[in-house]
Amino acid sequence: MQSEPEMEKKPVGIRFLERIKGSKLSYNAYQAIVLIVTFLAYASYHAARKTTSIVKSALDPQSPDTGVNSLLLRFTSFRSSGQEQENGGWAPFNGPNGTVLLGEIDVAFLAVYAFGMYFAGHLGDRMNLRIFLTVGMVGTGLFTSLFGVGYWANVHSFYYFLIMQMLAGLFQSSGWPSVVAVVGNWFNKKKRGLIMGIWNAHTSVGNITGSLIAAAMLRYGWGWSFVVPGVGIALIGLVNFAFLPVNPEMVGAERDEDVDSSSEKIGDSVSVPLLLSSSDSETDDKKRAVGFIEAWRIPGVAPFALCLFFAKLVAYTFLYWLPFYVSHTAIEGEYLSDETAGNLSTMFDVGGVVGGIMAGYISDRIGARAITAASFMYCSIPALFFYRSYGHVSLLANASLMFLTGMLVNGPYALITTAVSADLGTHSSLKGNSRALATVTAIIDGTGSVGAAVGPLLTGYISSRSSWTAVFTMLMGAAFVAGLLLTRLVMAEVAAKIAESRPSESECRAPVDHQGHVLDV
């Protein structure tokens, strides 16, 4: 029988499931619940985030798609013009500077999101992650919906929409550190790469779902395109509150026997688990949350964070600019419609899902995260070159090269934001302290999010003053720098692999007699 205090710690949904089953849930059942709930949670974050790009054409249907010189204007001019409404848009976005104002909202969202990420991780390691994630999801739903409420309230104040989007970005920043920390608590290091590679498909699922919902709701009024995803993420937030077990200790789950595979060698013979339960570590030093500066000093955090800056710079440039680039590039001598270009651009996301799974699987097999991430980034350089040079030859060539580019660009992006963040958040230097996962994840992804904001802005500046060839040169340079930043870690992993392949000193030593003379064998 479970004690009352133990039962009280469990989420109400878990207690309900155990009451129906008549016994405690197995460790594998808990892992399945964690994967499903966190997958739905972060997919809903991306679905709510995607609505703005779909609704832009309804808010500002009259802005031109070409001849734009303003940096911020260029930043958002990729949007489709196929969803124009007869009402002529929505003030203040349907004026001469409408697209500039929408660009300012995008930049404000990304800036607050990146800034908030650092604080979100810091708070997440000091709070119950189930409650913290729920507050973030309900807050995101509230302010996303309030943006849409402006449609019925007849709001035409730019600052109202700006503030709603900034507050939504602030609450959105709670999502990623929380879900990665929870998944990292339940899966050992040996299995993280592949499992998190598959699990990371929530990004693409959320993007596609958000696009479909927002587009479908436009016919009833653009406000619904915000309210429906907003209500959706809030409801999933309540599901998260009812069912999400933050860690095995909270629900009294016993770890599987293969948990020992998540240990790291320290010295020659001492092995310490990556995550220790509270019973294994009773000292205050191991229970305290890790500080922001201390987390930066964990070996590997800084190079992976800086690598992700450049990796997300490349990935988010494609996210914001790819539909525009495809629709303004002649393929087989013809220009595609906005709708066709948008559909074609999904091949980049499909490639990203495959790349995330491949990167996770390969890194698990060879036991080397840095080698895997750097290899993908270096291979993405020729992929970017070929896509720019030969993507116009045919629709098949464009789709194939886009898929390949998405696979190689998003592979290391997915690996670093999931398995690597979880690994570093449970690094052996923390001596079993598990309360660093959210902070480390926030540092890595927060730094990457800064790059996500910089990439599209640089693209707008370069494309308006030079050419798309210069943009792709910039992206290839960013991919090269991303791989270069992992050089020391790659060398360390290579050295470790060489050392593992060599026979031990005792095996190589020739037999000697008691006087030290080598014996013939």
Side-chain angles (χ1 to χ4, degrees):
M1 290 289 294
Q2 301 176 54
S3 64
E4 288 297 324
E6 182 180 331
M7 286 293 293
E8 290 176 1
K9 290 181 181 179
K10 295 183 178 182
V12 62
I14 297 297
R15 281 182 273 166
F16 175 73
L17 292 176
E18 290 187 337
R19 189 179 297 275
I20 292 177
K21 184 182 179 184
S23 61
K24 292 179 64 175
L25 297 178
S26 67
Y27 194 86
N28 287 339
Y30 278 119
Q31 287 181 316
I33 291 171
V34 167
L35 287 178
I36 293 171
V37 173
T38 54
F39 185 98
L40 291 174
Y42 208 68
S44 68
Y45 271 107
H46 265 265
R49 189 183 307 176
K50 186 67 176 177
T51 56
T52 309
S53 64
I54 301 300
V55 177
K56 280 177 182 175
S57 58
L59 299 176
D60 178 28
Q62 301 302 324
S63 293
D65 281 333
T66 57
V68 179
N69 292 320
S70 167
L71 183 147
L72 286 174
L73 194 60
R74 294 282 299 184
F75 172 57
T76 55
S77 61
F78 69 88
R79 89 283 183 274
S80 171
S81 59
Q83 298 172 338
E84 295 182 11
Q85 296 185 350
E86 294 179 0
N87 62 5
W90 190 267
F93 304 111
N94 60 350
N97 297 322
T99 313
V100 174
L101 297 179
L102 288 170
E104 290 176 356
I105 286 179
D106 281 342
V107 173
F109 175 88
L110 288 169
V112 172
Y113 176 78
F115 182 74
M117 186 79 71
Y118 294 111
F119 293 97
H122 193 69
L123 288 172
D125 281 330
R126 288 159 175 77
M127 294 178 61
N128 184 314
L129 284 172
R130 178 169 61 94
I131 297 174
F132 184 64
L133 185 58
T134 301
V135 171
M137 296 178 73
V138 173
T140 298
L142 173 64
F143 291 108
T144 300
S145 297
L146 285 175
F147 192 105
V149 167
Y151 173 76
W152 294 282
N154 201 29
V155 176
H156 296 282
S157 170
F158 167 70
Y159 292 102
Y160 170 83
F161 296 110
L162 179 68
I163 292 171
M164 291 303 104
Q165 194 72 340
M166 291 175 68
L167 290 172
L170 182 64
F171 279 93
Q172 281 249 2
S173 65
S174 66
W176 191 241
S178 300
V179 295
V180 172
V182 172
V183 173
N185 285 337
W186 282 94
F187 292 90
N188 61 51
K189 187 174 181 180
K190 183 178 180 181
K191 298 179 179 178
R192 276 183 193 151
L194 177 59
I195 290 172
M196 285 186 155
I198 299 171
W199 172 77
N200 196 60
H202 51 48
T203 299
S204 297
V205 171
N207 287 338
I208 294 170
T209 303
S211 298
L212 294 175
I213 292 175
M217 291 296 106
L218 276 177
R219 70 187 67 178
Y220 305 109
W222 63 260
W224 289 110
S225 297
F226 286 92
V227 171
V228 173
V231 172
I233 188 173
L235 291 176
I236 294 176
L238 297 179
V239 172
N240 162 83
F241 180 79
F243 288 95
L244 185 65
V246 173
N247 54 52
E249 292 73 32
M250 171 180 287
V251 293
E254 296 181 0
R255 295 181 181 275
D256 291 341
E257 293 180 0
D258 67 348
V259 74
D260 290 335
S261 65
S262 66
S263 301
E264 286 188 358
K265 288 266 186 157
I266 302 177
D268 294 329
S269 59
V270 180
S271 186
V272 177
L274 287 172
L275 288 174
L276 298 178
S277 66
S278 57
S279 61
D280 294 325
S281 178
E282 296 295 335
T283 65
D284 291 337
D285 181 62
K286 290 184 180 180
K287 288 183 178 179
R288 68 178 180 83
V290 173
F292 183 77
I293 301 301
E294 186 179 354
W296 267 105
R297 293 173 178 169
I298 296 173
V301 168
F304 272 116
L306 293 174
C307 172
L308 188 62
F309 175 95
F310 291 98
K312 286 190 81 168
L313 184 154
V314 178
Y316 269 65
T317 296
F318 273 86
L319 175 67
Y320 279 99
W321 282 96
L322 187 56
F324 177 88
Y325 172 76
V326 171
S327 65
H328 289 77
T329 300
I331 300 176
E332 294 184 274
E334 296 182 0
Y335 291 93
L336 303 180
S337 66
D338 289 337
E339 181 180 358
T340 304
N343 292 334
L344 179 61
S345 67
T346 59
M347 290 302 298
F348 185 83
D349 275 330
V350 175
V353 172
V354 176
I357 295 173
M358 283 184 58
Y361 177 76
I362 293 171
S363 69
D364 280 347
R365 292 286 295 177
I366 66 176
R369 309 287 197 212
I371 292 175
T372 304
S375 298
F376 269 70
M377 290 311 305
Y378 287 135
C379 289
S380 71
I381 297 174
L384 288 164
F385 174 80
F386 286 125
Y387 179 69
R388 171 56 181 165
S389 301
Y390 301 104
H392 67 279
V393 173
S394 68
L395 202 61
L396 178 61
N398 192 291
S400 300
L401 291 171
M402 186 188 299
F403 176 90
L404 179 64
T405 303
M407 182 182 72
L408 295 172
V409 168
N410 283 343
Y413 163 29
L415 180 66
I416 294 171
T417 54
T418 54
V420 169
S421 295
D423 290 350
L424 294 175
T426 55
H427 194 271
S428 59
S429 65
L430 296 170
K431 299 178 181 179
N433 183 0
S434 64
R435 299 188 65 190
L437 268 169
T439 300
V440 169
T441 302
I443 286 174
I444 292 176
D445 199 51
T447 304
S449 296
V450 176
V454 170
L457 291 175
L458 283 178
T459 299
Y461 181 86
I462 295 172
S463 62
S464 63
R465 286 164 174 75
S466 182
S467 65
W468 279 102
T469 299
V471 170
F472 275 83
T473 301
M474 180 267 289
L475 296 177
M476 288 186 281
F480 178 75
V481 173
L484 206 61
L485 286 165
L486 298 180
T487 300
R488 286 188 62 185
L489 296 178
V490 169
M491 292 176 64
E493 288 180 351
V494 170
K497 293 298 177 185
I498 294 175
E500 288 176 6
S501 64
R502 291 175 178 171
S504 64
E505 184 179 345
S506 59
E507 293 174 346
C508 296
R509 189 179 299 148
V512 296
D513 60 18
H514 66 283
Q515 295 181 338
H517 300 298
V518 177
L519 298 175
D520 293 330
V521 292

